[in-house]
C-alpha cells in the first residue's frame, strides 16, 4: 500500500509539474473576472479594464457569448473589437481566457440552418433566443463550429497574452433531452457499435417484455417520459440513452478541443466549464482537455444551510465537493464562475452573508484550485440577467460588497504567496485519511429512474456520506473505477447499484491489501445492463460483505422506524436493506422495530489486511451514517479531527484553512505551535482562519 501511495504522490507531483506551464505553483491560486465588452460602450473599455486590474484581478475572461459580434454575417468576421480588448488587457497586465462562443449561435445561423436546433420532447424545435439550444449531433452545427473556432484559433493561438481557452459554456443542454433526428441516428450508430446485432440489444433492453422487441436498429426511438401512455420508457433504454448523450456532449467538446489543440501555443490551456452539480454530462470522458473547470453558485435559493442564516452562507461541503470532484480528473482544476453576490435566476435570490464571498474564495484555495474566476465584472443593465450582481454595480465603477471581498481576498493571496514553500509536506496523519469516493453516473441514473420510493435521492444519499466525511476533516478524491484504488486507505462507494464481478474482485483485492471499503444500500443489485442477477439477491456484494440481503424496505414519508447503534437509537425512513450476516461478519447496527426487529442494518467484516463495511440504510439526517464512518476510521487506526458543525478545514501547500458555514460561532482548537496568518480560532459565521 505504502509504495503505491508514494507512487501516487509522485504522479500528482508529475501532474503539477506539467501544470506549471499554465499555473505557477508559487502563485497557488490566481483570480479573474468575466467581462462583456460587447455590452458596453467602447469608450468605457479602458476604464473598466484598468479598474479590473487595479482591484487586483490577474486575468479576464472574454468572448464566450460573442459570436454575433465576431461573425455578424455568415463568413464575415470582425475581430477588431476583441483585438482591442485583448490589447487593453495586456496593457493592464491581465491574462486572457477566451471562450469559444458556441453556446449561443447568432440568429442568422439558427434561422438559415434550423436543423442545428435541438428538438424538444414535445416535438417542437427549440427557438432561438437563449443558449445551449443547438444540437451536439448536428453536422451543420459542427461545420459552423469548426469555422468560428478555427477563425478564433488562427487569430489568437499565437497571442502571448492568451492564457487559455474555454470551450462553449456549461455544455449540458441544461438537462434537456435532444430529440433532433440527427441525435436519434447517432444514437442508433452508438447502439450498433455497442451491441453489433439487434438481438443482443433486445436481450440487454429486455424487450421481450411488453412486446417492445425490435426487428432492426432503425426502429429505435429516443426514450421518452412524456410520450408514453403509462409508465416511462424502460430503464435499460434510458440508461443507454444517457450514456450516449454524455458521450455525444463529450464528443462535441472534444471536437472543439482538437481544433484548438492543433493550433494553440503549448502554453495555452484548453478546458471547458461544467456545472458542478450536473449529471447529464460525464467529465471523465473529456480526456483530451488539459483539465475540467466548474461553475459554482452556492446561494441559489435551494439550500437551507445550517441555522437561521444558513441560506446566506451555503451548504458547508458544497464547494469542497466540486473541488474534490473535478481536481482528481487531471490533478488540476479551477472554478470558472463563482457567484459574486445576489443573483437573478434562482427560485429566491437572497443577499449573501457579509464575508461569505471571501470565505468561498478561501474554500477554493484550500481545495487546491489553480484559479478562481468570478461571474461577472459589471452588473448588467439589460438582458435576461438583470438583477445579477457583479464586482461593480449598475454605475460600472462602485464595488459591490462581493467586489470588496474579492479585493480583500486578492490582497491576502498576495501576502500568502510570500510565505509559499515549495517543499511543504502534507501532514502524514491527514494524508493517511485520504478517502476515495467511487462514482459512476450509471448508479445515479438507474436509481433515480427506478427510485422505488419517492424518498430516494441519489445525490442526497451521496452528499450525506460526503458531508459526514468532510466534517471529520478528511481529504477526498472522487475517482472512477479505472483508477488504482490502492492509494486510498478508505473508499466509499455510495449506492453502487450497477456492477460486475470484475469490480467486486477489484474491491476484494483492495480490501485484502489493506483498504477499507464502505458500501451502502442498493449496492450490486444489478448487472451493467441493469438486469437482476439470476441468483440470490445482489450475489457478488452479498458474498463480499459476508451477509445475505433477503429484502429491502421503505417507510411512509411521515413515519420513521429505528436502528440501534452504539447504545443509541437512530431514525430512518428512506431505505433499509435487511441483512443476514454469515459467521465472519460483525453486526454493527440492528433494526429496532418493524417485523424484522433484531436483523442487521450495518455489517462489518475484516478482509485480509483491510475491511468491508455495508451500511444498509439511508437516513434523513445522516447521523447514523456519520457514526458508522467514524467507526470505520477508528477500526482502521486512522485519526480524524471532528470539526464543529458547519466548519470545513483543508490543508494546502503548507497552509491550514478553516471556514465557518454555520450561523453559530465555532471554536477551533489549533495546535500550540500554529502561526495564525489571518483570522482567529473563534470563527463567527463566514469567518476564515488560516494558519501554518
Ligand atoms: C452560469 C452561466 C453564466 C451565467 C451565470 C449567471 O450558470 O454559465 O453564463 O448565466 O450562470 O449566474
Amino acid at each position: 500500500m505504502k509504495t503505491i501511495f508514494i507512487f501516487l504522490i509522485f504522479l500528482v507531483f508529475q501532474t503539477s509539474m506539467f501544470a506549471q506551464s499554465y499555473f505557477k505553483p508559487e502563485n497557488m491560486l490566481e483570480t479573474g473576472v468575466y467581462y462583456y465588452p460587447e455590452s458596453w460602450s467602447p469608450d468605457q473599455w479602458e476604464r473598466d479594464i484598468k479598474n479590473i486590474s487595479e482591484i487586483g484581478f490577474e486575468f479576464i475572461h472574454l468572448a464566450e457569448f460573442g459570436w454575433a459580434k465576431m461573425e455578424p454575417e455568415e463568413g464575415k468576421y470582425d475581430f477588431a473589437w476583441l483585438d482591442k480588448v485583448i490589447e487593453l488587457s495586456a496593457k493592464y497586465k491581465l491574462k486572457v481566457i477566451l471562450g469559444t462562443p458556441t453556446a449561443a449561435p447568432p440568429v442568422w445561423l439558427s434561422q438559415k440552418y434550423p436543423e442545428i436546433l435541438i428538438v424538444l420532447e414535445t416535438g417542437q424545435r427549440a427557438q432561438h433566443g437563449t443558449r445551449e439550444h443547438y444540437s451536439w449531433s448536428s453536422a451543420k452545427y459542427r461545420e459552423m463550429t469548426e469555422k468560428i473556432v478555427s477563425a478564433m484559433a488562427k487569430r489568437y493561438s499565437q497571442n502571448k497574452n492568451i492564457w487559455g481557452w474555454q470551450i462553449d459554456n456549461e455544455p449540458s443542454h441544461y438537462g434537456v433531452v435532444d430529440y433532433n433526428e440527427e441525435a436519434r441516428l447517432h444514437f442508433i450508430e452508438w447502439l450498433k457499435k455497442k451491441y453489433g446485432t439487434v438481438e443482443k440489444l433486445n436481450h440487454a433492453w429486455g424487450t421481450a417484455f411488453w412486446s417492445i422487441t425490435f426487428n432492426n436498429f432503425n426502429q429505435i426511438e429516443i426514450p421518452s417520459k412524456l410520450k408514453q401512455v403509462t409508465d416511462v420508457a424502460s430503464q435499460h433504454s434510458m440508461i443507454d440513452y444517457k450514456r450516449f448523450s454524455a458521450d455525444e456532449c463529450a464528443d462535441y467538446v472534444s471536437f472543439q478541443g482538437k481544433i484548438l489543440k492543433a493550433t494553440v501555443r503549448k502554453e495555452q490551456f484548453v478546458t471547458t466549464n461544467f456545472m458542478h452539480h450536473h449529471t447529464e454530462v460525464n467529465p471523465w470522458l473529456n480526456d483530451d482537455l488539459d483539465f475540467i473547470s466548474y461553475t459554482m453558485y452556492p446561494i441559489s435559493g435551494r439550500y437551507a444551510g445550517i441555522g437561521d442564516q444558513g441560506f446566506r452562507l451555503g451548504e458547508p461541503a458544497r464547494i469542497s465537493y466540486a473541488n474534490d470532484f473535478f481536481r482528481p480528473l487531471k490533478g488540476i482544476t479551477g472554478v470558472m464562475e463563482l457567484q459574486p453576490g445576489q443573483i437573478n435566476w434562482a427560485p429566491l435570490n437572497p443577499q449573501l452573508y457579509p464575508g461569505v464571498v471571501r470565505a468561498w474564495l478561501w474554500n477554493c484555495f484550500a481545495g487546491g484550485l489553480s484559479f478562481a474566476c468570478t461571474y461577472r465584472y459589471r452588473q448588467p443593465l439589460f438582458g435576461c440577467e438583470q438583477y445579477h450582481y457583479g464586482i461593480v454595480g449598475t454605475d460600472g465603477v462602485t464595488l459591490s460588497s462581493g467586489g470588496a471581498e474579492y479585493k480583500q481576498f486578492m490582497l491576502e493571496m498576495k501576502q500568502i504567496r510570500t510565505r509559499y514553500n515549495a517543499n511543504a509536506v502534507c501532514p502524514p496523519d491527514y494524508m493517511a485519511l485520504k478517502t476515495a469516493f467511487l462514482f459512476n453516473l450509471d448508479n445515479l441514473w438507474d436509481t433515480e429512474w427506478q427510485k422505488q420510493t419517492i424518498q430516494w435521492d441519489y445525490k442526497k444519499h451521496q452528499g450525506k456520506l460526503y458531508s459526514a466525511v468532510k466534517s471529520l476533516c478528511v481529504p477526498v478524491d472522487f475517482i472512477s473505477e479505472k483508477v488504482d484504488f490502492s492509494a486510498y486507505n478508505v473508499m466509499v462507494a455510495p449506492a453502487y447499484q450497477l456492477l460486475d464481478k470484475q469490480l467486486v474482485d477489484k474491491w476484494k483485492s483492495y480490501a485484502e491489501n489493506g483498504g477499507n471499503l464502505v458500501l451502502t444500500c442498493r449496492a450490486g443489485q444489478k448487472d451493467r445492463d441493469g438486469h437482476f442477477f439470476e441468483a440470490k439477491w445482489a450475489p457478488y456484494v452479498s458474498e463480499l460483505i459476508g451477509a445475505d440481503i433477503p429484502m429491502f424496505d421503505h417507510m411512509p414519508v411521515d413515519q420513521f422506524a429505528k436502528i440501534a447503534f452504539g447504545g443509541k437509537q437512530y431514525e430512518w425512513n428512506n431505505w433499509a436493506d435487511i441483512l443476514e450476516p454469515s459467521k465472519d461478519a460483525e453486526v454493527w447496527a440492528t433494526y429496532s422495530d418493524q417485523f424484522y426487529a433484531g436483523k442487521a442494518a450495518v455489517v462489518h467484516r475484516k478482509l485480509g489486511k483491510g475491511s468491508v463495511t455495508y451500511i444498509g440504510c439511508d437516513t434523513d439526517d445522516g447521523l447514523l451514517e456519520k457514526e458508522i464512518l467514524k467507526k470505520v476510521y477508528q477500526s482502521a487506526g486512522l485519526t480524524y479531527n471532528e470539526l464543529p458543525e458547519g466548519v470545513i478545514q483543508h490543508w494546502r501547500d503548507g497552509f491550514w484553512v478553516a471556514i465557518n458555514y454555520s450561523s453559530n460561532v465555532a471554536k477551533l482548537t489549533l495546535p500550540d505551535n500554529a502561526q495564525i496568518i489571518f483570522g482567529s480560532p473563534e470563527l463567527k459565521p463566514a469567518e476564515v482562519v488560516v494558519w501554518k
Side-chain angles (χ1 to χ4, degrees), residues 506-537:
K506 193 169 172 181
W507 277 340
K508 192 166 172 238
S509 70
Y510 164 71
E512 283 169 349
N513 288 306
N516 297 284
L517 175 69
V518 180
L519 298 176
T520 70
C521 56
R522 305 187 75 147
Q525 292 181 351
K526 298 185 179 184
D527 68 16
R528 302 280 187 182
D529 288 329
H531 292 210
F532 294 146
F533 296 94
E534 196 166 357
K536 69 176 186 179
W537 195 249

Side-chain angles (χ1 to χ4, degrees), residues 6 24 225 371 470 506 521 523 560 670:
I6 289 162
K24 293 196 181 122
K225 277 191 177 177
F371 63 88
K470 291 313 279 185
K506 193 169 172 181
C521 56
F560 287 85
L670 306 191

Side-chain angles (χ1 to χ4, degrees), residues 223-504:
S224 166
K225 277 191 177 177
L226 205 69
K227 294 184 199 163
Q228 307 295 332
V229 173
T230 63
D231 288 277
V232 293
S234 108
Q235 64 281 7
H236 311 292
S237 62
M238 176 282 305
I239 202 162
D240 267 346
Y241 178 73
K242 291 210 184 251
R243 289 164 176 158
F244 155 74
S245 186
D247 280 3
E248 196 75 336
C249 175
D251 190 62
Y252 177 71
V253 171
S254 291
F255 173 71
Q256 293 201 30
K258 287 193 181 88
I259 299 171
L260 291 172
K261 276 286 170 194
T263 326
V264 301
R265 304 170 71 229
K266 68 176 188 332
E267 291 81 6
Q268 294 178 355
F269 60 76
V270 178
T271 185
T272 189
N273 61 342
F274 280 129
M275 268 178 288
H276 80 280
H277 60 284
H278 218 276
T279 53
E280 304 295 319
V281 294
N282 188 346
W284 271 283
L285 299 172
N286 288 94
D287 257 3
D288 42 11
L289 304 190
D290 294 309
F291 57 88
I292 310 282
S293 61
Y294 70 85
T295 64
M296 169 63 64
Y297 292 82
I299 303 298
S300 41
R302 296 191 186 99
Y303 297 94
I306 296 178
D308 65 351
Q309 294 301 302
F311 70 102
R312 301 189 194 283
L313 290 151
E315 285 290 289
R318 196 155 183 226
I319 293 178
S320 297
Y321 178 100
N323 298 342
D324 293 345
F325 189 86
F326 288 98
R327 189 197 51 246
L329 295 169
K330 296 273 177 171
I332 35 174
T333 187
V335 56
M336 196 60 93
E337 294 177 27
L338 182 64
Q339 182 173 2
Q342 188 180 43
I343 55 165
N344 67 298
W345 47 261
L348 55 110
N349 297 289
Q351 284 291 340
L352 313 187
Y353 198 90
V356 81
V357 170
R358 170 180 170 259
W360 294 338
L361 282 160
W362 274 109
N363 202 156
C364 294
F365 168 86
L369 303 199
S370 298
F371 63 88
C373 185
T374 184
Y375 184 90
R376 49 187 285 157
Y377 179 59
R378 289 182 66 170
Q379 170 155 7
L381 305 182
F382 50 80
C384 293
E385 290 182 352
Q386 269 185 323
Y387 295 108
H388 195 297
Y389 270 27
I391 290 298
V392 294
T394 44
D395 65 1
V397 288
T398 307
L399 277 186
S400 61
S401 51
E405 291 180 30
Y406 261 87
K407 192 171 176 177
Q408 180 186 349
F409 172 78
M410 293 184 295
L411 284 172
E412 290 169 345
M413 268 312 297
K414 287 200 176 112
Q415 285 178 44
I416 211 162
R417 280 179 193 158
T418 62
R419 292 166 173 257
Y420 174 75
N421 170 8
N423 302 317
V425 177
C426 186
D429 283 1
Y430 180 69
M431 203 59 180
L433 285 164
K434 187 124 192 183
T435 295
F437 265 67
L438 193 66
F439 184 63
N440 183 333
L441 278 159
D442 281 0
N443 300 312
L444 181 148
W445 289 332
D446 198 75
T447 62
E448 284 297 323
W449 201 261
Q450 281 196 319
K451 282 173 175 286
Q452 293 308 110
T453 157
I454 50 165
Q455 303 207 88
W456 178 255
D457 184 326
Y458 177 90
K459 283 200 221 164
K460 277 196 186 154
H461 177 71
Q462 184 202 48
K464 276 174 267 190
L465 298 159
Y466 177 77
S467 295
V469 163
K470 291 313 279 185
S471 73
L472 305 175
C473 193
V474 166
V476 172
D477 278 350
F478 280 82
I479 62 165
S480 76
E481 290 170 28
K482 284 191 215 147
V483 170
D484 179 359
F485 297 168
S486 63
Y488 302 91
N489 282 330
V490 178
M491 172 182 295
V492 184
Y496 225 91
Q497 183 159 281
L498 269 62
L499 46 67
D500 49 27
K501 185 169 179 305
Q502 228 181 330
L503 174 62
V504 178

Side-chain angles (χ1 to χ4, degrees), residues 1-16 328 431 434 477 479 483-489:
M1 196 95 176
K2 250 196 187 132
T3 339
I4 298 166
F5 194 59
I6 289 162
F7 178 66
L8 184 95
I9 292 172
F10 173 73
L11 271 186
V12 170
F13 184 66
Q14 288 292 299
T15 321
S16 58
M431 203 59 180
K434 187 124 192 183
D477 278 350
I479 62 165
V483 170
D484 179 359
F485 297 168
S486 63
Y488 302 91
N489 282 330

